[in-house]
């Protein structure tokens, strides 16, 4: 499952090994799990999905800094494409070649804990994480109340809208309720004389999990619903909130205001979709793709089902944790503490402004962390105003449920959402199928 969509890098399965220059300089180029000759430094491996482009470079910077300033412990990065990450984690663990530090998608936390891959955070680190991060980030990095790592990339969902298309349709600003959302979607939809869609009013798309499942769960949370039941052993989507979300999406498709076969990642930047629910990482990509036309992009909190409902949305994320098989867990946790809690000065902010290295890393690639204090310092005066709704959503976002069967459950949810959108299933049929299929999968995983 892909929680975010990044451009660049090959699609075939491969490893991309990145050896920091400082590590090469000290004669530690050969892969090894611990000290060799007496006096040699410990070498920790860090496996992530930051395999190419800006993400790879952004991670390598602080790793090189650590290696240049620490003689006893060095860190070597390894990376695979995100689509291969879960399989790689499980296969390498089974083969006894698991990395010391791993960077999994938080949705997998329950599965990795059950498989004995992730080590619980020691009490002093768990305390720092609980105090330093927002509730959604801590919840995403925890299973059963136990914290398993430092939250890194955190993505919240909000409503992207095209100001120019809304103005042209006579819509005064982004919708605040679902009723306004439907009205704006109908008014901004345009077709040619043959009935072909030129502009989607509200972008529904089957292109990937972020568009299909992510936006549906964001709307479900905004309506007060949840995907997984409180005990983690079934689904709770067959509820008034879940029914309302499915009915909303079905109406939009039936009326032609949404066209699920259209790739919204292409349609929105080209002015062929007026509104899309998406995650905060997309702002950086839109700036690059749209150039001057990016001035037409606005971001607002998700519309509410009813005017006075409490705000909620979806939060997805990643964590950095320590492998149970690591021979040097204390050193691994100390590196993670340095990366995720040690503060450095923010050059572009006031002279007293500081943030963690991980927060600086994430903001440099258009993302966020769950550290609200860091985000206020980094996204203050002069930053992109479109990032503000995502930062503010950290206070009310709901983490993805990460029970042991969460990955497969989410895949089943996507399949049934797509069947609903394409008319193969009614709302009642889709909800019944999800309740049966997801309930069986989640129960089986315990």
């Amino acid at each position: 499952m892909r929680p975010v969509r990044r451009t660049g890098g090959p699609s075939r399965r491969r490893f991309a090994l990145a050896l920091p220059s400082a590590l090469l300089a000290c004669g530690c180029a050969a892969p090894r799990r611990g000290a060799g000759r007496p006096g040699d430094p410990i070498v920790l491996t860090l496996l992530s999905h930051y395999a190419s482009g800006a993400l790879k470079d952004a991670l390598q910077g602080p790793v090189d800094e650590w290696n240049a300033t620490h003689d006893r412990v060095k860190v070597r990065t390894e990376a695979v494409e995100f689509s291969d990450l879960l399989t790689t984690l499980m296969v390498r663990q089974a083969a006894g070649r698991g990395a010391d530090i791993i960077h999994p998608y938080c949705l997998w936390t329950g599965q990795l804990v059950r498989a004995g891959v992730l080590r619980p955070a020691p009490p002093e680190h768990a305390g720092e994480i609980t105090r330093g991060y927002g509730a959604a980030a801590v919840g995403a990095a925890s299973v059963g109340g136990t914290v398993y790592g430092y939250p890194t990339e955190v993505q919240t969902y909000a409503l992207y809208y095209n100001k120019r298309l809304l103005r042209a349709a006579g819509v005064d600003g982004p919708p605040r309720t679902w009723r306004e959302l439907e009205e704006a979607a109908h008014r901004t939809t345009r077709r040619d004389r043959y009935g072909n869609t030129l502009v989607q009013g509200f972008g529904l798309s089957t292109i990937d999990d972020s568009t299909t499942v992510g936006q549906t769960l964001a709307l479900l949370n905004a309506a007060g619903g949840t995907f997984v039941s409180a005990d983690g052993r079934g689904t709770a989507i067959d509820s008034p909130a879940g029914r309302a979300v499915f009915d909303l999406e079905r109406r939009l498709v039936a009326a032609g205001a949404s066209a699920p076969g259209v790739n919204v990642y292409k349609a929105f930047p080209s002015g062929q979709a007026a509104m899309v629910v998406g995650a905060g990482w997309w702002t950086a990509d839109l700036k690059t793709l749209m150039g001057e036309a990016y001035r037409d992009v606005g971001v607002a909190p998700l519309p509410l089902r009813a005017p006075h409902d409490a705000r909620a949305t979806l939060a997805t994320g990643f964590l950095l944790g320590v492998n149970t098989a690591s021979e040097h867990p204390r050193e691994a946790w100390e590196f993670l503490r340095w990366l995720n809690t040690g503060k450095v000065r923010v050059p572009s902010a006031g002279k007293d402004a500081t943030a963690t290295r991980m927060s600086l890393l994430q903001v440099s690639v258009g993302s966020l962390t769950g550290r609200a204090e860091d985000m206020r310092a980094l996204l203050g005066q002069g930053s992109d105003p479109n990032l503000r709704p995502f930062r503010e959503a950290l206070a009310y976002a709901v983490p993805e449920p990460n029970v042991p069967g969460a990955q497969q459950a989410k895949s089943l949810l996507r399949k049934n959402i797509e069947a609903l959108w394409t008319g193969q299933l009614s709302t009642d049929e889709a909800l019944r199928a999800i309740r049966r299929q997801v309930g069986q999968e989640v129960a089986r995983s315990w």
Side-chain angles (χ1 to χ4, degrees):
M1 167 152 303
R2 189 178 185 119
V4 295
R5 183 181 179 89
R6 302 291 190 189
T7 57
S11 58
R12 68 183 185 276
R13 183 183 178 95
R14 67 179 180 86
F15 279 89
L17 183 63
L19 293 174
S21 57
L23 187 54
L24 291 171
C26 72
C28 301
R32 51 194 170 82
R33 295 295 301 273
R37 299 183 301 257
D40 279 358
I42 293 167
V43 180
L44 302 173
T45 52
L46 189 165
L47 177 62
S48 78
H49 62 293
Y50 289 178
S52 59
L55 287 166
K56 178 180 178 181
D57 294 341
L59 176 61
Q60 198 61 49
V63 169
D64 285 345
E65 180 190 352
W66 168 275
N67 287 332
T69 56
H70 292 75
D71 294 329
R72 194 176 68 85
V73 178
K74 304 294 183 181
V75 177
R76 187 185 73 243
T77 59
E78 299 176 348
V80 295
E81 298 296 329
F82 177 78
S83 57
D84 295 323
L85 183 57
L86 179 59
T87 300
T88 301
L89 289 170
M90 300 300 285
V91 170
R92 288 187 59 174
Q93 191 77 6
R97 297 188 298 110
D100 295 282
I101 300 168
I102 59 175
H103 193 197
Y105 179 27
C106 286
L107 182 74
W108 308 332
T109 308
Q111 179 177 345
L112 293 173
V113 168
R114 185 172 178 82
V117 177
L118 275 171
R119 185 186 297 265
E124 63 274 22
H125 292 271
E128 288 181 343
I129 293 166
T130 302
R131 292 189 300 270
Y133 294 82
V138 175
S142 304
V143 175
T146 299
V147 178
Y148 283 90
Y150 283 90
T152 59
E153 175 182 339
V154 174
Q155 300 292 342
T156 57
Y157 279 67
L159 180 74
Y160 287 89
Y161 62 97
N162 187 303
K163 302 173 188 176
R164 176 179 56 81
L165 293 177
L166 264 62
R167 281 196 306 267
V171 178
D172 184 20
R176 293 160 297 185
T177 64
W178 286 13
R179 175 175 293 182
E180 292 180 3
L181 174 67
E182 284 196 78
E183 291 175 355
H186 292 308
R187 292 173 67 171
T188 52
T189 297
R190 290 176 49 217
R191 301 179 187 81
D192 64 18
R193 60 195 181 103
Y194 302 106
N196 299 311
T197 300
L198 299 175
V199 176
Q200 284 192 80
F202 183 72
L204 296 178
S205 182
T206 59
I207 191 66
D208 68 3
D209 293 321
S210 181
T211 55
T212 307
V213 178
Q215 69 131 35
T216 298
L217 291 184
L219 290 170
L220 177 67
N221 291 338
T226 59
F227 175 38
V228 173
S229 59
D231 62 6
R233 297 176 181 271
T235 179
I237 199 170
D238 190 2
S239 64
R243 186 174 300 275
V245 173
F246 277 25
D247 281 343
L248 170 67
E249 294 179 342
R250 180 185 54 79
R251 288 195 303 270
L252 289 167
V253 173
S258 297
V262 174
N263 183 342
V264 293
Y265 291 125
K266 296 180 179 179
F268 186 81
S270 62
Q272 295 175 312
M275 297 175 290
V276 178
V277 172
W281 64 264
W282 202 20
T283 56
D285 281 10
L286 289 174
K287 284 182 184 179
T288 301
L289 290 169
M290 298 179 69
E292 291 185 3
Y294 181 72
R295 64 178 180 270
D296 293 330
V297 176
V299 176
L302 289 186
L304 301 173
R305 184 180 175 193
H308 302 294
D309 285 352
R311 290 211 176 277
T313 188
L314 177 69
T316 64
F318 287 77
L319 66 87
L320 277 167
V322 177
N323 197 325
T324 56
S326 175
E327 297 175 3
H328 306 285
R330 184 171 64 85
E331 290 81 0
W333 283 114
E334 283 308 305
F335 168 73
L336 293 184
R337 186 204 301 268
W338 175 89
L339 179 64
N340 293 281
T341 70
K343 296 293 188 81
V344 294
R345 193 172 67 84
V346 180
S348 59
K351 64 178 182 179
D352 296 325
T354 60
T356 63
R357 292 172 177 84
M358 179 53 68
S359 292
L360 283 165
L361 184 164
Q362 293 300 332
V363 171
S364 74
V365 294
S367 185
L368 304 174
T369 68
R371 284 187 171 275
E373 181 182 349
D374 284 358
M375 293 303 98
R376 283 191 292 270
L378 292 166
L379 302 179
Q381 187 175 1
S383 66
D384 184 352
N386 282 338
L387 289 174
R388 181 175 179 179
F390 298 106
R391 174 177 65 82
E392 293 176 343
L394 291 171
Y396 57 79
V398 178
E400 283 184 292
N402 58 11
V403 295
Q407 175 65 77
Q408 182 60 19
K410 204 169 181 184
S411 298
L412 292 168
L413 176 60
R414 177 180 177 180
K415 180 185 74 172
N416 284 286
I417 291 172
E418 291 177 352
L420 173 76
W421 290 355
T422 55
Q424 300 173 58
L425 295 177
S426 67
T427 294
D428 285 340
E429 290 169 336
L431 290 172
R432 283 199 300 270
I434 293 167
R435 182 176 65 238
R436 182 181 69 256
Q437 295 170 12
V438 172
Q440 290 174 351
E441 182 60 38
V442 172
R444 183 186 302 119
S445 300
W446 286 88

